[in-house]
Amino acid sequence: MFCRYRRPLLLRSVCKCRAVLTCFLGLAVALASCQAHAQTPSGLELLGRGVNFGNMLEVPRDANWGVTYAEDYPRLVKSAGFDTVRIPVRWSAWTDARPPYQIAPEFMKRVRRIVDACLDQGLKVVLNIHHFEELFERPADERQRFLAIWKQLAVEYSQAGDDLFFEFLNEPHQNLTADLWNPLFAECLAEVRKLHPQRWVVVGPDHWSNIQALKDLKLPEQDRRLIVTVHYYLPFNFTHQGASWVTPVLPTGLEWTGSQTEMSALRKDLEMVADWAKQHKRPMYIGEFGAYESADLNSRVRWTRSVREVCEELGMAWGYWELAAGFGIMDPQSRQWKPELVRALLPNFQ
Ligand code: GLC
């Protein structure tokens, strides 16, 4: 009897073949997408949770912005549960004024000791050029110095392991517009790649690495070891209230309650960033975000937690701005953590 659930032999073997083929194809597609995924890890997989050593090495020569690096910072940061430290450095203040623009050897050593101390703790390190004001003012005159700094850093760190990440320039802006920044980045990358063919390099768009400027960032397509970064300080009148370096100084007293309107604005911004990353197959890193101490603590905690949670949900790495100055999560004198803020970043922090 011909069971209605059974098919004629020929049909059955065709079906079997087709099933095997479908299965095989399915496997191939799954493997390919796995491979594509392996080629583009998420920002979160690469850099995880981080904090900036801000106001330490990016200050003008001999200036003090309220915090000096202390030997136990790497250990404290690691034991709190962070994965990564971003180290902003004002290299331009420590180079000769003329070619070959040598970096002062004692400063090179000072930074190297800090980088090594972090790496020795098992932290990842993002090393950048920060506050290169002359380049932002006069890009044409200063491009050789910019390239010369990276040539020297490439040599200095030629033996470093994969846990060291280079970020060529913090927040390009002013006269260093996208049409100048994109080719300058590519030129610098070609130079650095000679000694660091595999190292992950972090790059942000012009306009202070604002999220809206992502659309103008043009990267060398074939280089798949680039992490894209943007900085997130929105709403700016909340995060920068009372900050002395903003003109005019923004009024204090503005809260961030985490209302539905506030949350959906935040989510919309970060989803836009994550969509860009997905579309361009680039890992994404929110290398700076934070709210200044003039805002009330509860609002800062709510905002910080929300940004952090949404970033992680979207697979983006983050670096809180910053450790122990005006946005800080630690008291620089007592080395005591500010527990509410740290917990907003690291939910398992004790
Ligand atoms: C940028 C600036 C830094 C400032 C921070 C917050 O990174 O370079 O100096 O503190 O944003 O405004």
Side-chain angles (χ1 to χ4, degrees):
M1 225 201 111
F2 192 79
C3 166
R4 59 193 172 116
Y5 293 109
R6 298 180 89 188
R7 289 165 229 183
L9 198 60
L10 181 65
L11 196 62
R12 261 163 55 202
S13 54
V14 167
C15 282
K16 233 190 209 161
C17 268
R18 214 196 272 151
V20 170
L21 201 69
T22 314
C23 197
F24 180 74
L25 278 177
L27 208 68
V29 169
L31 263 175
S33 81
C34 232
Q35 243 169 11
H37 183 75
Q39 281 160 9
T40 313
S42 73
L44 197 58
E45 285 166 319
L46 286 169
L47 286 170
R49 298 167 160 177
V51 65
N52 278 272
F53 276 9
N55 288 27
M56 298 182 206
L57 294 160
E58 86 279 21
V59 303
R61 219 166 156 148
D62 304 324
N64 186 309
W65 284 358
V67 47
T68 11
Y69 171 78
E71 300 279 322
D72 53 355
Y73 283 169
R75 183 181 52 80
L76 292 170
V77 161
K78 176 68 183 182
S79 51
F82 287 101
D83 306 304
T84 299
V85 169
R86 180 170 177 261
I87 305 183
V89 186
R90 193 186 290 241
W91 294 103
S92 55
W94 296 89
T95 69
D96 281 345
R98 274 175 293 278
Y101 304 106
Q102 200 204 353
I103 297 171
E106 75 274 15
F107 188 71
M108 187 71 115
K109 270 193 213 123
R110 193 169 137 202
V111 176
R112 177 68 184 265
R113 265 202 305 275
I114 299 173
V115 169
D116 286 350
C118 292
L119 293 172
D120 288 349
Q121 283 293 334
L123 289 159
K124 296 180 182 182
V125 170
V126 179
L127 180 65
N128 82 358
I129 292 186
H130 211 91
H131 288 317
F132 196 163
E133 311 300 352
E134 303 89 335
L135 179 67
F136 304 140
E137 278 157 31
R138 300 181 307 278
D141 298 345
E142 293 288 338
R143 56 184 288 287
Q144 285 305 341
R145 183 148 70 117
F146 171 74
L147 295 168
I149 294 173
W150 275 109
K151 271 187 210 170
Q152 293 171 74
L153 295 181
V155 172
E156 176 71 19
Y157 292 98
S158 59
Q159 300 306 312
D162 296 344
D163 284 350
L164 178 65
F165 297 67
F166 288 155
E167 180 180 338
F168 289 172
L169 187 63
N170 178 64
E171 300 187 351
H173 64 276
Q174 206 173 338
N175 297 321
L176 188 59
T177 47
D179 54 328
L180 297 178
W181 171 231
N182 291 329
L184 180 57
F185 170 77
E187 191 179 350
C188 191
L189 184 66
E191 192 56 47
V192 168
R193 282 283 178 246
K194 291 178 190 164
L195 290 178
H196 300 265
Q198 292 295 321
R199 188 170 307 287
W200 284 96
V201 170
V202 176
V203 54
D206 74 323
H207 217 79
W208 290 274
S209 297
N210 189 295
I211 60 172
Q212 301 299 340
L214 272 175
K215 60 178 181 342
D216 301 319
L217 184 66
K218 301 281 175 287
L219 300 174
E221 258 315 299
Q222 71 293 350
D223 194 315
R224 304 318 295 174
R225 304 283 279 189
L226 302 178
I227 300 173
V228 174
T229 188
V230 286
H231 294 173
Y232 191 69
Y233 288 108
L234 300 178
F236 194 75
N237 54 355
F238 164 68
T239 64
H240 277 68
Q241 56 187 285
S244 59
W245 62 97
V246 176
T247 345
V249 174
L250 296 163
T252 54
L254 185 65
E255 296 187 352
W256 196 87
T257 61
S259 68
Q260 219 178 348
T261 320
E262 288 169 326
M263 267 314 290
S264 61
L266 187 149
R267 185 170 279 282
K268 195 170 155 224
D269 287 343
L270 295 175
E271 278 175 355
M272 185 272 277
V273 174
D275 285 349
W276 188 97
K278 200 169 161 199
Q279 197 191 332
H280 292 83
K281 299 191 175 59
R282 299 290 188 186
M284 184 60 74
Y285 170 48
I286 309 294
E288 286 186 22
F289 75 106
Y292 191 54
E293 62 188 358
S294 309
D296 85 275
L297 184 62
N298 288 337
S299 293
R300 292 172 70 202
V301 168
R302 276 192 290 269
W303 181 85
T304 302
R305 186 189 307 109
S306 305
V307 176
R308 193 267 301 164
E309 282 177 354
V310 177
C311 280
E312 291 183 0
E313 192 188 306
L314 297 170
M316 304 193 290
W318 51 263
Y320 183 78
W321 184 266
E322 32 61 31
L323 182 69
F327 293 70
I329 51 175
M330 176 197 275
D331 182 296
Q333 267 75 47
S334 67
R335 314 269 213 279
Q336 292 298 306
W337 292 107
K338 299 179 181 168
E340 303 90 335
L341 276 171
V342 183
R343 241 174 267 129
L345 294 168
L346 306 168
N348 296 330
F349 176 78
Q350 305 287 342

